[in-house]
Amino acid sequence: MPGRILIAGGPSVDAHRLADRLADAFLAVHAAPDGRDALDHALASEPDLVIADVRAGGISGLALCRALKAHAALLHVPLLIAGVDVAPRDRLATLEAGADDFLSLPIADAPLLARLRNLLRVKAMIDELRARDRTARSLGLVAWTPASGPLAPDLVEPPGDLLLVRSDAGARRRAAQLSTALGLSVRRAADGREALELVDDAPPELVLIEPDPEAPGAVEAALRLVAALRARPAARDAGVLAALPEGSAATALDLGASDCVAASTDLAELGARLRTQLRRKRCSDRLRDAVRQGLELAVTDPLTGLFNRRYAETHLAAMVAQCAAARQPLSLMLLDLDRFKQINDCHGHPAGDAVLRGFAARLRAAVRGVDLVARIGGEEFCVALPGADEAEARGVAERVRAAVAAAPFPAPEGGDVAVTVSIGVAVAEPRALCAHAASRIETTEAPAPPGRSRAPTSLVAGMAEPPAAFARGAPAPAPSARAPSARALTAAVAAAAPSVEERPGEAGSSKLMALADAALYRSKSQGRDRVSFAPS
């Protein structure tokens, strides 16, 4: 679980002891002795998450929260306030100031790490949206950026649309209470099945799940509903808050709940938490809408609705730099529809266009929202998977390949078109990405056979060289043939290549593209409908 955690210590939070606990969970931790030092550190180096003692020295946890949320570059950073025997009014004040949660100490590792995982996923999503916004700006496009951030008052106006999932006799009274006291527009569902039907009919901004803890199986049903909501496109971005027993909260957070509370939580605190989720959702929605609208004409493929090659190459370079800084792996898939020309020749170009649109839809459904999906050529596509290692990339690639082969695509004039896809995958581990970020770049272009696009190759120390046996333009070797070494190929090409300077990330993205391209060629040469990996 990657993440850079900043701890502001105090009388309740031993920063160094907590840092040791989190380090055992493979988190990078900076322990600040007080709130003032923590604020200075956050301003110098943006953390992924902040944990602050409510009575931190220098400045209190509440003051630190307000300072962070007032800073444009830090207001999206998740913040947890921790303390012992804190008065309800102080707890409420921190939540209303923008804290994501209040941790009552002591707290066991399981619920603590579940909450951290949950908030780090949120931070990663926001970071990706912000990165896409920066990419749009680097291309000369105008994209909306929230001037006042996720705590802006307009993000809770008009009141939110909430779906209450509760089956007991008090459900109607509870809905009226939430509507009156919090100004929410409330719909009710008696169980998970009805809730999913209402979600599909009109996606809510917020979902509040309040199972009866005394009813047999009610808590387990609530956990299943959390997972089902996150798997539902209509509810994937909704704020989901669950009122569960303490022992079930960690599971709910790992399944995708935005927040968890005890069933006894008072209405004021519940309202503060719901407003936080509403602001976060609307801020994310605005970023998504702005990026989508700003990029639509310039960097979107009009046929499939995916990003085009121009955007993919620019944003992939940003992904390389971002993953290098976070010391995360980055996987790249190149996909090519097999024998696509025959589809156009036999069924006509309208059928070919329908296949491309259908394939794009299946591809989007098989990957995460944080992944970059683009059409980079006629029947060629790419998917960049930040944070995915080889095992995760293999699972995604096989899922996409199976989804395409499982069912034919309908043709506009009637009938079905059976399609398969070949996939090449390259994985850049964190060490290789960091080597790219620190090295001088030499680039060239690999030769391509007639009718194929040329794949750029960056020759940079620290990453595996492209396998000569599968380079585009070279025939696949016979089983008994000995392929020339990658080192010899690199030396020969580099000797003839001009030296150029590239921006951070460009060299790594070019090399990753070349490696994936070579792996794709291997899949095509070995019979198609396959997934091949570049050597690591």
Side-chain angles (χ1 to χ4, degrees), residues 177-193:
Q177 181 187 44
L178 292 170
S179 178
T180 302
L182 305 180
L184 297 169
S185 173
V186 182
R187 291 180 291 161
R188 290 183 295 113
D191 54 31
R193 188 177 301 278

Side-chain angles (χ1 to χ4, degrees), residues 227-238:
L229 288 169
R230 286 303 180 227
R232 215 82 165 189
R236 188 170 294 164
D237 301 319

Side-chain angles (χ1 to χ4, degrees), residues 319-331:
M319 276 186 162
V320 168
Q322 187 175 5
C323 287
R327 299 188 179 276
Q328 293 180 307
L330 174 64
S331 297

Side-chain angles (χ1 to χ4, degrees), residues 65 69 75-76 92-101 122 125-126 129 144 146 148-161 182 184 205-206 237-240 258-259 268-288:
C65 176
K69 298 307 177 183
L75 49 80
H76 66 289
L92 179 60
T94 60
L95 294 171
E96 290 181 336
D100 291 272
D101 203 351
V122 171
M125 181 268 292
I126 294 292
L129 291 174
W144 178 87
S148 51
L151 295 182
D154 67 304
L155 292 178
V156 291
E157 296 293 341
D161 169 29
L182 305 180
L184 297 169
E205 293 183 294
L206 300 168
D237 301 319
V240 178
S258 307
D259 197 359
E269 179 176 332
L270 180 62
R273 290 177 180 272
L274 287 171
R275 284 190 291 272
T276 294
Q277 297 306 322
L278 181 61
R279 284 191 293 261
R280 177 177 291 153
K281 183 193 184 303
R282 289 182 176 177
C283 181
S284 300
D285 286 348
R286 284 190 180 184
L287 278 170
R288 287 192 187 91

Side-chain angles (χ1 to χ4, degrees), residues 382-403:
C382 79
V383 178
L385 307 157
D389 57 19
E390 181 173 338
E392 292 169 311
R394 187 180 300 277
V396 174
E398 287 292 351
R399 185 163 67 242
V400 171
R401 186 199 61 76

Side-chain angles (χ1 to χ4, degrees), residues 44-58:
S45 177
E46 178 187 315
D48 289 321
L49 188 144
V50 178
I51 303 174
D53 191 323
V54 68
R55 299 185 180 91

